[in-house]
Amino acid sequence: MESVLSKRPRKRRIADGFLSAGAVLLLWQAVVSLWQMPRFILPGPLDVFHALFANGRLIVDNAIVTFGEVLGGLVLGSAVGAITAIALMMSPLMQRLVMPLLVFSQAIPIFALAPILTLWFGYGPTSKIAVILLMIFFPVVSTFFDGMQRTDRNLIDAAENLGAKPNAILFCVRIPAAFPALASGLSLAAVYAPIGAVVGEWVGASKGLGYLMLLANGRAKVDLMFACLLVLAAFTMILHGAVSHLAHRLAAWPKKL
């Protein structure tokens, strides 16, 4: 009975998502029909779906490249961010030296860094993964580090009374207690990662959804550009749902100990 009840909210969220998507499509079609919008300005949903199926192979070939960059950047950025947060927690000196740099790095627009990364790493997937890493690095570090700092003081006092050393407290108390905060950071990273890939492809690429969108825009194929956006949005939603599911399991893991 509990498992059935636990699945109901998730099913309801999925149903609500489909209803919202349907409402948006109907409103979109209504705007196009009522105002007689030209296809080169705003194509209707039917035009976009037609372009999606007519250019299916082209979109799939480019989507595979973008999805690979997103997954690679997400895994690498999350790992580097989590390790950095742990290192900051282990060293007060590193906190004083590195944290201001991390905050300062967020003041630099990613569009300003993407050309430099493309110049350094080339037009291949490496530069796009680097852009993704920079976009998701700070959310993962800041949420995980904040979660470790906010560990319940009673748990730390209990561990100290049992004779636990600082490193043991960090790895056995603070890190597990910060898993819910890390889960929030990973959920944000899943949304930011596709944006980073597209930004990198806009700056310089020979393949990918971002490159295909630029190509379609230059040839006034707005329906194809919207089709690429639709594929990217669907992938982002699926990725966010999958990462959120894994993140919630991670957040609940300390309670099972």
Side-chain angles (χ1 to χ4, degrees):
M1 178 64 69
E2 290 181 0
S3 61
V4 174
L5 292 175
S6 64
K7 291 179 181 178
R8 284 182 181 174
R10 186 184 305 170
K11 291 181 179 179
R12 189 177 297 115
R13 288 195 299 269
I14 294 174
D16 291 343
F18 278 110
L19 287 175
S20 299
V24 170
L25 290 176
L26 288 175
L27 179 61
W28 180 3
Q29 184 62 52
V31 170
V32 172
S33 300
L34 290 174
W35 276 273
Q36 296 294 314
M37 304 293 291
R39 288 183 59 183
F40 63 87
I41 294 179
L42 180 63
L46 294 179
D47 295 327
V48 173
F49 282 114
H50 180 267
L52 177 63
F53 289 107
N55 301 276
R57 184 55 185 269
L58 178 64
I59 293 175
V60 168
D61 290 342
N62 286 275
I64 290 174
V65 175
T66 300
F67 296 168
E69 295 166 352
V70 170
L71 294 177
L74 181 62
V75 172
L76 182 61
S78 299
V80 173
I83 293 172
T84 302
I86 294 173
L88 290 173
M89 201 67 210
M90 294 178 66
S91 173
L93 176 61
M94 189 174 179
Q95 292 180 27
R96 295 195 298 270
L97 296 178
V98 175
M99 284 302 294
L101 295 177
L102 292 178
V103 175
F104 173 76
S105 68
Q106 299 307 295
I108 303 176
I110 195 65
F111 275 103
L113 293 176
I116 300 175
L117 295 174
T118 302
L119 180 64
W120 289 349
F121 300 112
Y123 288 86
T126 305
S127 59
K128 286 67 181 176
I129 291 175
V131 173
I132 296 170
L133 191 152
L134 290 177
M135 285 200 71
I136 71 174
F137 178 73
F138 185 77
V140 174
V141 172
S142 59
T143 53
F144 194 24
F145 179 71
D146 186 64
M148 286 187 286
Q149 282 191 317
R150 294 177 180 272
T151 303
D152 189 347
R153 189 65 208 179
N154 293 327
L155 295 176
I156 298 175
D157 292 339
E160 290 177 345
N161 291 335
L162 292 173
K165 301 298 183 182
N167 284 343
I169 294 175
L170 173 62
F171 286 97
C172 297
V173 179
R174 288 187 181 273
I175 290 178
F179 279 168
L182 176 61
S184 299
L186 294 177
S187 297
L188 288 174
V191 176
Y192 293 154
I195 299 174
V198 172
V199 169
E201 290 171 354
W202 281 348
V203 172
S206 58
K207 212 163 189 180
L209 287 176
Y211 165 78
L212 186 57
M213 280 189 279
L214 281 181
L215 191 65
N217 184 52
R219 298 183 179 181
K221 293 184 176 181
V222 184
D223 52 354
L224 177 57
M225 187 172 66
F226 271 82
C228 294
L229 285 173
L230 187 65
V231 171
L232 184 66
F235 171 72
T236 302
M237 292 178 65
I238 294 172
L239 179 65
H240 179 261
V243 172
S244 295
H245 176 70
L246 295 175
H248 286 312
R249 292 178 67 89
L250 175 66
W253 180 68
K255 300 178 183 178
K256 300 178 182 179
L257 296 178

